């Protein structure tokens, strides 16, 4: 405000990624954006400058800058309400791998500060999502999960590098739950962002409470046994530090996540066949 004056309009500073879902580990990188309610050219200049302030300030206190530049200093993630409406519509109509990835990132957004423009914006896109059978495309782009447990029931651990003997919980365990819950939220026209809240809203999933319990337990294991030396290390758990029972529990958690994701795939396939 000292340099550029007060904000040019009301705005929303929103978080995405694990922060958007309220599922951060001890370390978190930056995933955020801005929606502002003005179409004046100087508003874009102002809020991009504000986004840069957010990036530099968060980096100063330890939040890693996003490698993919998913931050409010990037014009792709800092737009007017009108600009966001056009951009998300284009993502859905394009339905390329990159556009779907951008949309899924945006769908996990929650308002952290300011006026919540997100709820009405997300709600406006549900009809387009269902008409375009976008859920099938989303499933195709989220089914490829790194295996954490082999066919003989053994952990598939890192075999080289600084995380040798560890398992990446983000890639093998978290993604199935997060991706499945997000697809179901879209299917059910829900704007909830946390995986637990998304699962709690379900009425047509058997063992819903079990999946919720397993996901919460997974978060506890990451917190208790993650390496936590930096952002990347926080995704890894050294298996030999866990008890035999905990290792057994973790294998079941991973298998349940895959089961949930496969079940969601079946639900979406049935939806598509009924539309046909």
């Amino acid at each position: 405000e000292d340099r550029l004056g007060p904000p040019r309009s009301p705005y929303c500073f929103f978080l995405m990624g694990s922060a958007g879902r309220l599922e951060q580990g001890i370390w978190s990188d930056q995933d955020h954006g801005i929606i502002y309610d003005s179409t004046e050219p100087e508003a874009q200049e102002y809020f991009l400058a504000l986004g840069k302030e957010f990036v530099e300030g968060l980096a100063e206190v330890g939040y890693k800058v996003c490698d993919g530049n998913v931050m409010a200093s990037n014009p792709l993630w800092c737009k007017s309400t009108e600009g966001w409406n056009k951009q998300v519509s284009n993502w859905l109509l394009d339905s390329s791998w990159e556009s779907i990835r951008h949309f899924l990132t945006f769908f996990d957004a929650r308002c952290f500060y300011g006026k919540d423009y997100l709820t009405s914006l997300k709600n406006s896109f549900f009809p387009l999502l269902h008409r375009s059978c976008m859920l099938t495309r989303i499933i195709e782009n989220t089914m490829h999960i790194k295996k954490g447990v082999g066919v003989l029931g053994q952990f598939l651990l890192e075999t080289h590098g600084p995380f040798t003997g560890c398992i990446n919980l983000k890639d093998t365990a978290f993604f199935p739950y997060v991706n499945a819950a997000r697809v179901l939220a879209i299917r059910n026209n829900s704007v909830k962002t946390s995986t637990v809240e998304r699962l709690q809203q379900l009425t047509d999933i058997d063992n819903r409470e079990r999946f919720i319990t397993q996901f919460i337990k997974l978060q506890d294991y990451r917190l208790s046994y993650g390496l936590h030396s930096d952002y990347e290390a926080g995704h890894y758990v050294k298996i030999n530090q866990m008890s035999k029972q905990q290792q057994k529990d973790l294998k079941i958690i991973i298998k349940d996540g895959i089961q949930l994701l496969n079940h969601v795939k079946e639900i979406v396939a049935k939806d598509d066949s009924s539309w046909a």
Side-chain angles (χ1 to χ4, degrees), residues 7 9-14 33-36 47 50 54 110-118:
S9 74
Y11 71 97
C12 167
F13 175 65
F14 60 87
I34 291 176
I35 304 174
Y36 54 88
F47 286 109
L50 179 60
F54 282 134
R110 68 178 173 92
C111 181
F112 183 74
Y113 176 84
K115 186 173 181 179
D116 182 8
Y117 293 109
L118 285 167

Side-chain angles (χ1 to χ4, degrees), residues 121-162:
L121 185 62
K122 290 180 183 180
N123 279 324
S124 69
F125 291 113
F126 286 127
L128 178 57
L129 277 161
H130 297 310
R131 285 200 307 271
S132 61
C133 294
M134 179 61 71
L135 286 181
T136 298
R137 296 284 292 127
I138 291 173
I139 283 288
E140 291 172 355
N141 282 269
T142 58
M143 283 298 291
H144 305 292
I145 303 296
K146 183 177 180 180
K147 287 187 176 181
V149 179
V151 293
L152 300 179
Q154 79 282 19
F155 282 114
L156 300 177
L157 305 177
E158 300 294 316
T159 57
H160 59 277

